[in-house]
PDB file of all heavy atoms in Angstrom:
ATOM      1  N   LYS E 381      70.266  14.651 -44.874  1.00  0.00           N
ATOM      2  CA  LYS E 381      71.537  15.386 -44.787  1.00  0.00           C
ATOM      3  C   LYS E 381      71.706  16.400 -45.912  1.00  0.00           C
ATOM      4  O   LYS E 381      72.191  17.510 -45.683  1.00  0.00           O
ATOM      5  CB  LYS E 381      72.718  14.410 -44.777  1.00  0.00           C
ATOM      6  CG  LYS E 381      72.936  13.767 -43.430  1.00  0.00           C
ATOM      7  CD  LYS E 381      74.364  13.258 -43.351  1.00  0.00           C
ATOM      8  CE  LYS E 381      74.695  12.704 -42.005  1.00  0.00           C
ATOM      9  NZ  LYS E 381      74.974  13.699 -40.997  1.00  0.00           N
ATOM     10  N   ILE E 382      71.291  16.038 -47.109  1.00  0.00           N
ATOM     11  CA  ILE E 382      71.416  16.952 -48.246  1.00  0.00           C
ATOM     12  C   ILE E 382      70.523  18.174 -48.035  1.00  0.00           C
ATOM     13  O   ILE E 382      70.934  19.311 -48.268  1.00  0.00           O
ATOM     14  CB  ILE E 382      71.088  16.234 -49.576  1.00  0.00           C
ATOM     15  CG1 ILE E 382      72.142  15.165 -49.864  1.00  0.00           C
ATOM     16  CG2 ILE E 382      70.985  17.229 -50.723  1.00  0.00           C
ATOM     17  CD1 ILE E 382      71.798  14.219 -50.991  1.00  0.00           C
ATOM     18  N   GLY E 383      69.310  17.948 -47.545  1.00  0.00           N
ATOM     19  CA  GLY E 383      68.394  19.045 -47.259  1.00  0.00           C
ATOM     20  C   GLY E 383      68.915  19.949 -46.149  1.00  0.00           C
ATOM     21  O   GLY E 383      68.805  21.176 -46.226  1.00  0.00           O
ATOM     22  N   LEU E 384      69.497  19.334 -45.111  1.00  0.00           N
ATOM     23  CA  LEU E 384      70.068  20.123 -44.019  1.00  0.00           C
ATOM     24  C   LEU E 384      71.233  20.984 -44.509  1.00  0.00           C
ATOM     25  O   LEU E 384      71.349  22.159 -44.151  1.00  0.00           O
ATOM     26  CB  LEU E 384      70.539  19.209 -42.882  1.00  0.00           C
ATOM     27  CG  LEU E 384      69.440  18.589 -42.029  1.00  0.00           C
ATOM     28  CD1 LEU E 384      70.009  17.494 -41.130  1.00  0.00           C
ATOM     29  CD2 LEU E 384      68.728  19.645 -41.203  1.00  0.00           C
ATOM     30  N   LEU E 385      72.089  20.404 -45.335  1.00  0.00           N
ATOM     31  CA  LEU E 385      73.230  21.148 -45.880  1.00  0.00           C
ATOM     32  C   LEU E 385      72.748  22.280 -46.786  1.00  0.00           C
ATOM     33  O   LEU E 385      73.278  23.397 -46.726  1.00  0.00           O
ATOM     34  CB  LEU E 385      74.180  20.206 -46.627  1.00  0.00           C
ATOM     35  CG  LEU E 385      75.491  20.819 -47.090  1.00  0.00           C
ATOM     36  CD1 LEU E 385      76.273  21.418 -45.921  1.00  0.00           C
ATOM     37  CD2 LEU E 385      76.345  19.777 -47.800  1.00  0.00           C
ATOM     38  N   PHE E 386      71.743  22.007 -47.601  1.00  0.00           N
ATOM     39  CA  PHE E 386      71.174  23.042 -48.472  1.00  0.00           C
ATOM     40  C   PHE E 386      70.640  24.205 -47.632  1.00  0.00           C
ATOM     41  O   PHE E 386      70.900  25.373 -47.920  1.00  0.00           O
ATOM     42  CB  PHE E 386      70.060  22.440 -49.336  1.00  0.00           C
ATOM     43  CG  PHE E 386      69.385  23.435 -50.236  1.00  0.00           C
ATOM     44  CD1 PHE E 386      69.974  23.813 -51.435  1.00  0.00           C
ATOM     45  CD2 PHE E 386      68.169  24.005 -49.873  1.00  0.00           C
ATOM     46  CE1 PHE E 386      69.354  24.745 -52.265  1.00  0.00           C
ATOM     47  CE2 PHE E 386      67.552  24.938 -50.697  1.00  0.00           C
ATOM     48  CZ  PHE E 386      68.142  25.314 -51.897  1.00  0.00           C
ATOM     49  N   PHE E 387      69.894  23.873 -46.579  1.00  0.00           N
ATOM     50  CA  PHE E 387      69.351  24.893 -45.685  1.00  0.00           C
ATOM     51  C   PHE E 387      70.480  25.726 -45.087  1.00  0.00           C
ATOM     52  O   PHE E 387      70.433  26.958 -45.078  1.00  0.00           O
ATOM     53  CB  PHE E 387      68.513  24.239 -44.580  1.00  0.00           C
ATOM     54  CG  PHE E 387      67.821  25.231 -43.693  1.00  0.00           C
ATOM     55  CD1 PHE E 387      66.579  25.737 -44.032  1.00  0.00           C
ATOM     56  CD2 PHE E 387      68.406  25.650 -42.514  1.00  0.00           C
ATOM     57  CE1 PHE E 387      65.930  26.655 -43.218  1.00  0.00           C
ATOM     58  CE2 PHE E 387      67.771  26.569 -41.686  1.00  0.00           C
ATOM     59  CZ  PHE E 387      66.531  27.067 -42.048  1.00  0.00           C
ATOM     60  N   HIS E 388      71.519  25.055 -44.597  1.00  0.00           N
ATOM     61  CA  HIS E 388      72.674  25.728 -43.993  1.00  0.00           C
ATOM     62  C   HIS E 388      73.317  26.702 -44.982  1.00  0.00           C
ATOM     63  O   HIS E 388      73.569  27.861 -44.651  1.00  0.00           O
ATOM     64  CB  HIS E 388      73.687  24.682 -43.517  1.00  0.00           C
ATOM     65  CG  HIS E 388      75.012  25.248 -43.116  1.00  0.00           C
ATOM     66  ND1 HIS E 388      75.192  26.000 -41.983  1.00  0.00           N
ATOM     67  CD2 HIS E 388      76.224  25.169 -43.712  1.00  0.00           C
ATOM     68  CE1 HIS E 388      76.460  26.358 -41.887  1.00  0.00           C
ATOM     69  NE2 HIS E 388      77.106  25.866 -42.929  1.00  0.00           N
ATOM     70  N   GLU E 389      73.558  26.239 -46.193  1.00  0.00           N
ATOM     71  CA  GLU E 389      74.233  27.076 -47.192  1.00  0.00           C
ATOM     72  C   GLU E 389      73.395  28.288 -47.591  1.00  0.00           C
ATOM     73  O   GLU E 389      73.940  29.352 -47.879  1.00  0.00           O
ATOM     74  CB  GLU E 389      74.588  26.242 -48.425  1.00  0.00           C
ATOM     75  CG  GLU E 389      75.704  25.251 -48.151  1.00  0.00           C
ATOM     76  CD  GLU E 389      75.937  24.266 -49.297  1.00  0.00           C
ATOM     77  OE1 GLU E 389      75.119  24.225 -50.251  1.00  0.00           O
ATOM     78  OE2 GLU E 389      76.928  23.518 -49.219  1.00  0.00           O
ATOM     79  N   LYS E 390      72.092  28.152 -47.610  1.00  0.00           N
ATOM     80  CA  LYS E 390      71.214  29.260 -47.996  1.00  0.00           C
ATOM     81  C   LYS E 390      70.949  30.235 -46.840  1.00  0.00           C
ATOM     82  O   LYS E 390      70.869  31.445 -47.050  1.00  0.00           O
ATOM     83  CB  LYS E 390      69.866  28.737 -48.521  1.00  0.00           C
ATOM     84  CG  LYS E 390      69.983  27.950 -49.799  1.00  0.00           C
ATOM     85  CD  LYS E 390      70.498  28.811 -50.921  1.00  0.00           C
ATOM     86  CE  LYS E 390      70.631  28.010 -52.199  1.00  0.00           C
ATOM     87  NZ  LYS E 390      71.389  28.699 -53.219  1.00  0.00           N
ATOM     88  N   VAL E 391      70.808  29.720 -45.634  1.00  0.00           N
ATOM     89  CA  VAL E 391      70.380  30.538 -44.510  1.00  0.00           C
ATOM     90  C   VAL E 391      71.554  31.148 -43.730  1.00  0.00           C
ATOM     91  O   VAL E 391      71.425  32.238 -43.175  1.00  0.00           O
ATOM     92  CB  VAL E 391      69.441  29.732 -43.581  1.00  0.00           C
ATOM     93  CG1 VAL E 391      69.042  30.519 -42.345  1.00  0.00           C
ATOM     94  CG2 VAL E 391      68.201  29.302 -44.350  1.00  0.00           C
ATOM     95  N   LYS E 392      72.703  30.496 -43.716  1.00  0.00           N
ATOM     96  CA  LYS E 392      73.853  31.014 -42.957  1.00  0.00           C
ATOM     97  C   LYS E 392      74.216  32.443 -43.335  1.00  0.00           C
ATOM     98  O   LYS E 392      74.371  33.289 -42.438  1.00  0.00           O
ATOM     99  CB  LYS E 392      75.064  30.106 -43.092  1.00  0.00           C
ATOM    100  CG  LYS E 392      76.262  30.601 -42.265  1.00  0.00           C
ATOM    101  CD  LYS E 392      77.391  29.635 -42.247  1.00  0.00           C
ATOM    102  CE  LYS E 392      78.595  30.089 -41.481  1.00  0.00           C
ATOM    103  NZ  LYS E 392      78.419  30.972 -40.361  1.00  0.00           N
ATOM    104  N   PRO E 393      74.344  32.798 -44.625  1.00  0.00           N
ATOM    105  CA  PRO E 393      74.679  34.197 -44.943  1.00  0.00           C
ATOM    106  C   PRO E 393      73.623  35.196 -44.442  1.00  0.00           C
ATOM    107  O   PRO E 393      73.963  36.302 -44.016  1.00  0.00           O
ATOM    108  CB  PRO E 393      74.746  34.221 -46.476  1.00  0.00           C
ATOM    109  CG  PRO E 393      74.920  32.804 -46.883  1.00  0.00           C
ATOM    110  CD  PRO E 393      74.282  31.960 -45.820  1.00  0.00           C
ATOM    111  N   ILE E 394      72.374  34.792 -44.452  1.00  0.00           N
ATOM    112  CA  ILE E 394      71.297  35.671 -43.969  1.00  0.00           C
ATOM    113  C   ILE E 394      71.418  35.859 -42.457  1.00  0.00           C
ATOM    114  O   ILE E 394      71.353  36.985 -41.954  1.00  0.00           O
ATOM    115  CB  ILE E 394      69.914  35.097 -44.347  1.00  0.00           C
ATOM    116  CG1 ILE E 394      69.769  35.033 -45.869  1.00  0.00           C
ATOM    117  CG2 ILE E 394      68.786  35.902 -43.698  1.00  0.00           C
ATOM    118  CD1 ILE E 394      68.593  34.202 -46.360  1.00  0.00           C
TER     119      ILE E 394
END
Side-chain angles (χ1 to χ4, degrees):
K381 281 201 175 282
I382 294 169
L384 286 168
L385 187 57
F386 178 80
F387 185 87
H388 169 70
E389 289 171 351
K390 295 297 179 193
V391 176
K392 182 173 179 30
I394 297 167

